[in-house]
């Protein structure tokens, strides 16, 4: 399993901004897929943003507001969030997927809480 560590969550007012960070020992370009998920209590974990083979995808609820990116060294993955809404409140998880001995491996961070007040 790949060790991932998230940071940057917190409490903000509606309309505010946050930037989440995820660090890994291996550069993120070595993974087949990288992305961010979020989960609220009592609901399924959902994909927020992902990057695969240079193609980025976003959930409809966050299009135009969230942006996934990396730093120049590919050692940190970011989720820039603007115009935050109360419905964005969730635990956000960093995720990568790669292959080990031809088997698909999914790795997750422990999550960081994002709370948006009305």
């Amino acid at each position: 399993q790949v060790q991932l560590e998230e940071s940057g969550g917190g409490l903000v007012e509606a309309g505010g901004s946050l930037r989440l960070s995820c660090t890994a020992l291996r550069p993120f370009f070595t993974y087949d897929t990288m992305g961010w998920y979020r989960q609220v209590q009592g609901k399924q974990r959902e994909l927020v943003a992902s990057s695969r083979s240079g193609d980025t995808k976003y959930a409809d609820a966050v299009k135009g507001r969230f942006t996934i990116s990396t730093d120049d060294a590919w050692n940190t993955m970011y989720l820039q969030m603007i115009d935050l809404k109360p419905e964005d409140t969730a635990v956000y998880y960093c995720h990568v997927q790669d292959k080990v001995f031809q088997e698909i491996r999914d790795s997750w961070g422990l999550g960081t809480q994002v709370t948006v007040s009305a």
Side-chain angles (χ1 to χ4, degrees), residues 1-75:
Q1 182 170 16
V2 180
Q3 288 187 311
L4 303 171
E5 184 174 357
E6 301 121 326
S7 63
L11 174 64
V12 298
E13 295 182 354
S17 301
L18 283 175
R19 187 179 70 171
L20 306 183
S21 299
C22 176
T23 58
L25 294 179
R26 286 168 48 193
F28 279 94
F29 69 79
T30 66
Y31 304 112
D32 295 325
T33 302
M34 63 181 185
W36 292 90
Y37 287 71
R38 68 185 182 187
Q39 186 173 27
V40 299
Q41 187 176 3
K43 296 185 178 181
Q44 292 283 95
R45 188 172 300 184
E46 65 174 348
L47 176 66
V48 176
S50 67
S51 180
R52 181 181 181 183
S53 300
D55 184 30
T56 58
K57 296 184 181 298
Y58 297 90
D60 289 341
V62 307
K63 285 182 178 178
R65 299 189 297 116
F66 290 10
T67 303
I68 186 172
S69 64
T70 63
D71 64 356
D72 291 340
W74 291 80
N75 288 324

Side-chain angles (χ1 to χ4, degrees), residues 69-90:
S69 64
T70 63
D71 64 356
D72 291 340
W74 291 80
N75 288 324
T76 305
M77 180 176 66
Y78 301 103
L79 183 67
Q80 180 67 55
M81 306 181 292
I82 65 171
D83 192 24
L84 284 162
K85 303 175 180 181
E87 52 263 43
D88 294 319
T89 296

